């Protein structure tokens, strides 16, 4: 038969080549995860039960570290972390839901405003928020000096409530970014169906919440993990209000004499276990909820609610209040502090001036570290983003590999940067992997640190891309690379740009890996900033922070403006925008 | 012009056989429709032809070119199979204008005349005035016209349709299926079209295949499928009704009180199907008819359509020239040549 | 995208190889270290690279590197952590430079010569906010802090969190006649409304804002506050404890690196090196007491006359650090 002979004549170069490429891509991603995250983390975590590893003074197998990590006081920090993680998670998700509903489902024109605020908040280090509120509310703080003695506010901020509140506010962006795209996937008809069938008020909200449950679960898991891993708030508000948190226990065990690496490792395990709860809960929710509609090539219009006068008033008031709590108050307090000459002299005009900023300008030796960090941040953020894109596409596949990956990534999110950085020393200060002390390793650590959250951020936009968009392109002769260039990249350009900016600006200020891994003689910005402030000169340090944040926000804005100008217009349309108006 | 030949296509998803050794040929210029319920494997087959799904066994040729043969490790990626495809969800690229959507595949193939080709395709579907719109600014019907224009713009020899009309309302469906039939014949395109709508299938098909649970039960001209269904499922899925119990002895088929002469001799329990239009209605008892009670009657324009309950509680439809009253007794006489008789257990 | 990664990795590799092979690597937590390193490099021509961190991460780094130490010498305040490194065999023993030590210097020299003290401050002095506690009513002794007039006004750091605070606690325990008497003293202090904050920064912020009136902190932090013209003054209760700044040399380093490290120590203790140390960080660490005969501290530092100080023996108190810190956290903080 003619056909049978063709069967033998044609071998399969194309098929094999493509398969090879796919396997290569997959294994590159896997290798990156193993080298950047798993190997160093496991190295460190093993110390919990094998305290004698890496030349440390311990022997054999022991569970003593876990006993220590769960004794009275340390147990308190576990419980505190759990309670604060849960409450700030719930609060952030609730607020994220409300704000995303306002931007996605009402005619209120706040989209740009909220998006701007969300990114600003993402760029702001958590300790700045905490310090802002501390400066304002502590006993003898700005409020007191202004003659306002609001005991309840002081009490709230010198206890767990303040810690949970600041952590929740700081992490609203994560909840918002995780939930916002989902509003488009549950078409307005569903809401209308509820209305038509007389389901109103609380019941309707409940119905909607059930439809949004996968997004809510994802948002909660991320916020919970991020809140658990937060160190900035733990070290400032938490520390000054005697609310010991797990991250701070880890910090203590790692940095305070007598050092106790096994204890830090055991506490890290506990932190991982707590994050595991969130992962498990999310997986359960996802298993129950069918993965329903995503953005397809079918341009369906989402219906928007026209808010009445009362609804508008509530919306504006709550957004204003959020803006005040999340950005305006901490920013003002910090800026105010940076203008204060002598802190002990308190609130008066004579005590305000530019002295601290003049000192900042004299810190000429910060230019080198700034350039170095900027360059490393650019490279590491690019690497992180490429890997994050690969990871996000694996995650969005929903395979078993994806679930495993999700656990690893969320676990990494939950561990403070300190643990990863310390793990890098153990893992890479080895004769067979002598990378410790090189810029390469520091860059790897930066990329590893940025990767989990970047992939989380890209996951939303990526899952919105209906697979038929790519299939349509390939069937019509567009190659795999062409699909990436013509379809995927243009549709993901905006989220990619933002994720890159976020990763890069986070890296510029990253402290723990910078401290533990920087090459001798080549300090990164965070280390240099820390050094240029002696003896708790708060005025100077806040001035430095204000300048640094201003530089970074300015750079981010500049890059964004330039890139937006360079991008072809159809790359700038956002997925969500095609569903609005 | 190019043919599509599928030989023993086999595909499993876990323990489910999505395709169970399906073979068929679409001759050059032929419009082939695959009809089946969801889960019948028709989508998998179409996607395998497109290269979006890999077969586990079998082979696919496009003309004389082998494009899929898992036994040889051969799988040509979709982009080199030179096809056009129209998706159920339209799959228009949301960031590109109508013109860009149609032009992108042409430009990717480095066709210098891409602008003319795209323009021509858009004129063909009547959208020349909307070239600068974005997909979300169009209605569903318009979007699917853009998708159609995109698929035919490069004059492919083979066009695939994945239930393209199922998201549209009745009137648009009729409009578009005519457009599809006209365009494919005009360009002598070999088409593979899947649907679960029998009227669409009969309207479009030069050859019609009916699928169930991964198997192709019948593949023939639509007239043959209509008049001589090869399988009780084919009869039912193409609109036949009944499924009445009967007994055949030699050439004599005993159906209730009726005795019908058959052309092929066999003996055993049978199931009998018939089409609504092959029934004649009597208001008096009739020896070659089945007793039925009217349960509902509806006006259909040219005639009335009645739902009738047979003695064994089977519900059947039959046309009638006048309105029947619910509860009224009537006698149904099936045309003896238009009975579909299957041995019990053929399912 | 992939080529971009490759590019990034190549660039990083190139960068790292350009930075490879420093001759002497100095791990230091001192404010003036960069100036000293620069001056040393200029004076000797020995290539020297600095890693500057605060004491906590610095010691953590040293301990984590134990298997394969990357440093030539390590330099920070506090004898207990240095003692612990020496006891783990990480520090070169039996060598001190030939210099003319003063009495304070001699008191701080360890008997096994496993590290070299090069400066001293006081672990705990009283920094008084004169707006809260008028200068003439400031406390003068440790016992004074138990008086009702200071009830709720005294603050200090938690030693299990703030690194430099343990020497202060140990010093108070030693001055109160040992662990039992000292613990009782802290319990009384707690009964008088002692505030315990996690770190120096928080304690000082509370002091400046007037939340407390008296902070027990390291002397250099107090002098820094005075220089910053904060409304504070210092008091030196009897006895204050010495907090040495010392240098340890890597026991596993190559002979070349050990030789360079010894040269570095000699440079630090030379008149030239001391000049750099005294001027390198005038707002902070430069305000120390020199350990060499004939050298005076900077003008901002309170002259030693009239201050009674003690040396806290790290061989006694170093090993008790974990236990005492736990006790402090469980008994005094809660």
């Amino acid at each position: 038969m003619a056909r049978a002979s063709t069967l033998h004549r044609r071998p399969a170069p194309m098929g094999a080549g493509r398969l090879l490429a796919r396997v290569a891509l997959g294994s590159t991603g896997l290798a990156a995860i193993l080298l950047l995250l798993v190997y160093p983390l496991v190295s460190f975590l093993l110390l919990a039960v094998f305290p004698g590893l890496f030349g440390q003074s311990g022997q054999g197998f022991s569970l003593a570290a876990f006993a220590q990590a769960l004794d009275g006081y340390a147990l308190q920090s576990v419980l505190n972390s759990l309670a604060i993680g849960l409450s700030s998670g719930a609060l952030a998700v609730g607020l994220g839901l409300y704000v995303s509903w306002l931007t996605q489902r009402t005619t209120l024109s706040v989209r740009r405003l909220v998006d701007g605020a969300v990114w600003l908040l993402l760029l702001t280090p958590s300790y700045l928020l905490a310090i802002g509120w501390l400066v304002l509310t502590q006993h003898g703080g700005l409020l007191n000096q202004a003659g306002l003695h609001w005991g309840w506010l002081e009490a709230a901020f010198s206890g767990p409530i303040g810690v949970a509140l600041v952590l929740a506010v700081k992490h609203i962006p994560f909840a918002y970014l995780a939930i916002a795209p989902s509003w488009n996937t549950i078409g307005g008809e569903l809401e209308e169906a509820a209305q038509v069938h007389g389901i109103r008020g609380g019941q309707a909200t409940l119905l909607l919440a059930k439809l949004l449950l996968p997004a809510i679960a994802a948002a909660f898991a991320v916020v919970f993990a991020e809140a658990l891993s937060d160190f900035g708030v733990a070290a400032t508000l938490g520390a000054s209000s005697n609310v010991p948190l797990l991250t701070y226990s880890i910090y203590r065990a790692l940095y305070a004499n007598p050092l106790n690496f096994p204890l830090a490792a055991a506490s890290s395990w506990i932190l991982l276990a707590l994050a595991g709860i969130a992962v498990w809960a999310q997986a359960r929710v996802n298993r129950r909820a069918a993965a329903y509609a995503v953005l397809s090539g079918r341009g369906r219009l989402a219906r928007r609610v026209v808010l009445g006068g009362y609804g508008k008033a509530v919306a504006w008031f709550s957004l204003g209040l959020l803006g005040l709590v999340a950005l305006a108050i901490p920013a003002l307090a910090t800026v105010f502090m940076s203008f204060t000459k002598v802190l002990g002299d308190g609130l008066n005009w004579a005590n305000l001036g530019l002295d601290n900023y003049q000192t900042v300008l004299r810190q000429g030796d910060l230019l080198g570290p700034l350039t170095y960090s900027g360059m490393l941040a650019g490279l590491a953020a690019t690497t992180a983003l490429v890997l994050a894109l690969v990871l996000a596409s694996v995650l969005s596949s929903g395979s078993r590999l994806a679930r495993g990956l999700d656990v690893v990534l969320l676990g990494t999110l939950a561990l403070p940067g300190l643990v990863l950085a310390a793990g890098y020393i153990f893992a890479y200060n080895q004769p067979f992997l002598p990378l410790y002390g090189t810029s390469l390793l520091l860059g790897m650590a930066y990329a590893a640190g940025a990767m989990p959250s970047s992939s989380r951020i890209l996951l939303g936009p990526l899952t919105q891309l209906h697979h038929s968009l790519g299939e349509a392109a390939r069937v019509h002769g567009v190659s795999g690379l062409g699909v990436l260039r013509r379809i995927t990249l243009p549709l993901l350009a905006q989220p990619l740009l933002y994720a890159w900016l976020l990763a890069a600006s986070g890296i510029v200020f990253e402290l723990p890996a910078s401290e533990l891994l920087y090459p001798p003689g080549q300090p990164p910005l965070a280390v240099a900033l820390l050094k240029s402030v002696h003896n708790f000169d708060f005025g100077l340090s806040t001035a430095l922070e204000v300048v640094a944040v201003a530089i970074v926000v300015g750079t981010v804005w500049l890059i964004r403006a330039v890139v937006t100008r360079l991008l072809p217009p159809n790359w700038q349309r956002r997925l969500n925008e095609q569903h609005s108006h | 012009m190019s043919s599509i030949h599928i030989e023993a296509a086999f595909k499993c998803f876990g323990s489910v056989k999505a395709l169970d050794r399906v073979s068929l040929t679409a001759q050059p210029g032929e419009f082939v429709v695959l009809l089946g319920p969801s889960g019948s494997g028709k989508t998998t087959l179409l996607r395998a032809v497109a290269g979006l799904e890999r077969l586990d066994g079998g082979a696919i040729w496009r003309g004389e070119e082998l494009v899929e043969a898992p036994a040889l490790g051969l799988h040509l990626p979709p982009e080199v199979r030179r096809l056009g495809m129209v998706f159920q969800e339209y799959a228009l690229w949301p960031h590109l204008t109508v013109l860009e959507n149609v032009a992108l595949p042409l430009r990717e193939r480095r066709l210098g005349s891409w602008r003319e080709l795209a323009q021509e395709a858009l004129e063909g579907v009547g959208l020349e005035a909307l070239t600068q719109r974005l997909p979300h600014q169009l209605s569903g019907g318009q979007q699917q016209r853009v998708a159609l224009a995109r698929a035919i713009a490069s004059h492919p020899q083979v066009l695939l349709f994945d239930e393209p009309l199922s998201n549209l309302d009745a009137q648009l469906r009729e409009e578009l299926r005519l457009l599809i039939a006209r365009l494919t014949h005009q360009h002598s395109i070999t088409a593979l079209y899947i649907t679960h709508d029998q009227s669409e299938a009969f309207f479009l098909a030069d050859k019609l295949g009916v699928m169930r649970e991964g198997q192709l039960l019948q593949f023939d001209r639509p007239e043959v499928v209509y008049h001589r269904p090869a399988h009780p499922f084919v009869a039912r899925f193409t609109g036949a009704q009944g499924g009445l119990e009967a007994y055949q002895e030699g050439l004599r088929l005993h159906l209730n009180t009726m005795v019908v002469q058959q052309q092929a001799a066999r003996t055993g329990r049978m199931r009998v199907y018939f089409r609504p239009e092959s029934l004649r209605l009597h208001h008096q008892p009739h020896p070659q008819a089945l007793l039925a009670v009217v349960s509902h009657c509806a006006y259909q324009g040219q005639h009335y359509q009645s739902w009738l309950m047979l003695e064994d509680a089977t519900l059947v439809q039959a046309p009638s020239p006048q309105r029947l009253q619910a509860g009224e007794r009537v006698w149904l006489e099936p045309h003896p040549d238009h009975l579909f008789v299957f041995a019990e257990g053929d399912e | 995208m992939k080529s971009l990664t490759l590019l990034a990795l190549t660039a990083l590799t190139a960068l790292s190889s350009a930075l490879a092979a420093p001759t002497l690597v100095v791990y230091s937590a001192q404010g003036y270290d960069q100036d000293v390193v620069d001056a040393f490099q200029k004076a000797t021509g020995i290539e020297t690279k600095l890693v500057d961190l605060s004491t906590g991460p610095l010691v953590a780094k040293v301990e984590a590197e134990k298997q394969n130490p990357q440093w030539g010498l390590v330099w920070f305040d506090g004898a207990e952590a240095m003692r612990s490194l020496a006891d783990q065999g990480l520090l070169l023993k039996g060598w001190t430079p030939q210099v003319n030590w003063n009495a304070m210097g001699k008191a701080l020299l360890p008997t096994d010569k496993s590290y070299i003290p090069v400066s001293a401050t006081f672990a705990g002095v009283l920094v008084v906010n004169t707006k809260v506690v008028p200068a003439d009513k400031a406390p003068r002794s440790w016992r004074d802090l138990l008086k009702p007039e200071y009830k709720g006004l005294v603050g200090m750091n938690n030693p299990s969190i703030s690194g430099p605070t343990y020497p202060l606690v140990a010093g108070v325990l030693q001055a109160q006649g040992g662990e039992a008497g000292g613990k009782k003293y802290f319990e009384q202090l707690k009964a008088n409304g002692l505030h315990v904050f996690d770190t120096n920064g928080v304690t000082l912020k509370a002091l400046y804002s007037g939340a407390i009136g008296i902070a027990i902190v390291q002397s250099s932090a107090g002098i820094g506050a005075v220089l910053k013209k904060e409304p504070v003054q210092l008091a030196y209760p009897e006895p204050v404890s010495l907090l040495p700044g010392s240098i340890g040399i890597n026991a596993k380093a190559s002979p070349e690196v050990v030789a360079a490290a010894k040269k570095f120590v000699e440079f630090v203790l030379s008149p030239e090196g001391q000049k750099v140390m005294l001027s390198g960080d005038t707002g902070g660490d430069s305000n120390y007491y020199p350990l060499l005969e004939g050298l005076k501290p900077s003008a901002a530092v309170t002259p030693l006359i009239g201050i009674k100080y003690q040396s806290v023996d790290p061989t006694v108190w170093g090993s008790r650090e974990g236990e005492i810190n736990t006790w402090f956290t469980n008994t005094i903080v809660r």
Side-chain angles (χ1 to χ4, degrees), chain A residues 56 73 139 239 252 254-255 257 259 342-345 356 376 429 436 516 518 521 531 534-538, chain C residues 12 31 33 50-52 56 60-61 63 65 68 70 131 161 198 200-201 204 209 228 230 281 283-284 321 329:
Chain A
Q56 298 301 312
Y73 195 70
H139 187 75
R252 247 171 58 190
L254 271 176
Y255 281 178
N257 212 39
L259 269 59
V342 176
L343 290 177
D345 284 352
N356 289 320
L376 264 188
N429 185 25
Y436 179 54
L516 291 183
Y518 85 84
K531 180 168 172 62
H534 313 291
N535 274 322
F536 318 102
D537 189 339
F538 304 113
Chain C
L12 282 168
D33 47 22
L50 173 68
V51 168
D52 174 277
K61 210 166 143 80
E63 296 249 6
E65 284 176 19
N68 186 14
Q70 302 290 318
K131 287 187 168 176
I161 294 170
D198 275 9
N200 252 329
L204 285 174
S209 71
K228 183 79 182 147
E230 294 289 350
D281 184 18
E321 184 163 354
T329 307

Side-chain angles (χ1 to χ4, degrees), chain C residues 116-195:
Chain C
I116 306 102
V118 296
S119 67
T121 51
F122 294 131
V125 297
L126 305 181
V127 184
V128 181
N129 183 338
T130 47
K131 287 187 168 176
V132 181
V133 179
D136 53 329
K137 297 216 171 111
R140 316 219 167 271
S141 72
W142 293 111
R143 284 280 142 199
D144 279 356
L145 296 178
L146 302 178
K147 286 182 182 168
E149 57 185 297
Y150 304 121
K151 191 170 176 71
L153 288 181
V154 183
M156 66 178 289
N157 314 325
N158 182 347
S160 66
I161 294 170
S162 156
T165 304
Y166 176 71
L168 149 77
V169 173
V172 172
L173 293 179
Q174 182 173 302
Q176 302 299 323
E179 207 173 312
K183 282 180 173 172
K184 192 162 172 253
Y185 172 76
F186 274 114
E187 275 160 21
Q188 287 170 322
L189 210 53
K190 186 190 180 188
N192 204 29
L194 175 73
H195 295 271

Side-chain angles (χ1 to χ4, degrees), chain A residues 7 469 471 474 476 573, chain B residues 47 72 79 85 93 95:
Chain A
L7 227 145
L469 296 182
E471 288 179 348
R474 296 192 57 196
H476 291 111
R573 268 175 230 134
Chain B
R47 290 172 59 81
L72 300 176
E79 58 266 30
M85 183 161 173
W93 301 304
H95 59 303

Side-chain angles (χ1 to χ4, degrees), chain C residues 249-261:
Chain C
I249 297 173
N250 180 3
K252 292 185 191 166
S254 67
E256 301 82 51
V257 171
V258 169

Side-chain angles (χ1 to χ4, degrees), chain A residues 381-405:
Chain A
T382 309
T383 312
L385 218 62
V386 173
L387 293 172
L389 204 56
V390 174
L391 296 185
S393 50
V394 175
L395 279 179
S396 65
S397 74
S399 61
R400 190 171 300 173
L401 177 68
R403 283 205 294 277
L405 194 63

